[in-house]
Amino acid sequence: MTTTIDDAHTVRGGADSDPLLLLLHGYGSNERDLPSLVAHLPSGFAHASVRAPITLSQGSYAWVPIAVPGRPDPAVVADSTQALLTWLDEHVEPDRVVVPLGFSQGGLMATQLLRARPDRFAAVLVLSGFVLDQPARGNEALVARRVPVFFGHGDADPIIPVDATHRASAWLAEHTDVTDRTYAGLAHGISADELADVHAFVTSQLG
């Protein structure tokens, strides 16, 4: 069965001519979770928040099932990544500035988009996320481009294993121009300090 993104379940805001924040929610959430973050980011961006393709229950969706935390099935990750890329190609002009912002499992998907098409994204925001522990096409091109990435995570996160966070930090340092921030006492969430740092990062990278 082909994995697809249902555009009828995409929350949008802003003008079609504005740079686009592509919002990718976490496991068990939905497309209405992250648009509230937009008010804390620089003005002048549109946003599109897409629903993950796997239904867990009413109002609860995922990009991949959880078996071993931090180490999802690469085949399912690949299917969801391709679904996102297909949605992007169908609904976003190829020359439009796009910045994926992913929380938790959505952060995994943000890094997967970057690995698949390193020339497509102006910057990437990964909040309490991780990366797939597998080689991927695009890694060499990604190293050459050094795309700016913000990686924020708490040191009290009970959901993302510490080894997955360390793996993400190492991978991002090797493959991107990463700004890596650890927030003391932050669990699996997004703090005001982190949002301030994201705002500063986006402003510095995109104006």
Side-chain angles (χ1 to χ4, degrees), residues 35-48:
S36 61
L37 298 181
V38 175
H40 299 276
L41 300 178
S43 60
F45 282 83
H47 66 271

Side-chain angles (χ1 to χ4, degrees), residues 128-204:
S128 297
F130 58 100
V131 300
L132 186 65
D133 188 21
Q134 294 283 331
R137 182 185 62 184
N139 279 357
E140 293 182 2
L142 188 55
V143 170
R145 286 189 64 82
R146 308 300 291 188
V147 175
V149 174
F150 180 90
F151 180 37
H153 45 92
D155 65 1
D157 192 329
I159 303 299
I160 305 298
V162 172
D163 69 304
T165 299
H166 290 170
R167 183 174 72 243
S169 290
W171 187 89
L172 289 167
E174 182 179 354
H175 293 87
T176 73
D177 181 14
V178 67
T179 298
D180 194 325
R181 295 284 185 269
T182 302
Y183 298 93
L186 179 63
H188 196 60
I190 302 170
S191 69
D193 286 344
E194 185 173 21
L195 286 174
D197 287 342
V198 171
H199 188 291
F201 174 85
V202 172
T203 300
S204 68

Side-chain angles (χ1 to χ4, degrees), residues 28-94:
S29 190
N30 59 56
E31 70 278 13
R32 299 193 178 278
D33 184 31
L34 296 182
S36 61
L37 298 181
V38 175
H40 299 276
L41 300 178
S43 60
F45 282 83
H47 66 271
S49 183
V50 298
R51 177 185 292 184
I54 299 173
T55 301
L56 302 175
S57 61
Q58 185 174 1
S60 178
Y61 304 90
W63 301 100
V64 292
I66 292 179
V68 179
R71 296 184 184 275
D73 182 344
V76 182
V77 174
D79 287 345
S80 287
T81 302
Q82 186 54 55
L84 271 174
L85 291 170
T86 298
W87 180 91
L88 189 71
D89 290 341
E90 291 176 348
H91 298 284
V92 181
E93 293 297 320

Side-chain angles (χ1 to χ4, degrees), residues 11-31:
V11 175
R12 288 185 172 83
D16 290 343
S17 58
D18 291 336
L20 181 70
L21 286 168
L22 178 59
L23 304 176
L24 307 171
H25 66 78
Y27 181 89
S29 190
N30 59 56
E31 70 278 13

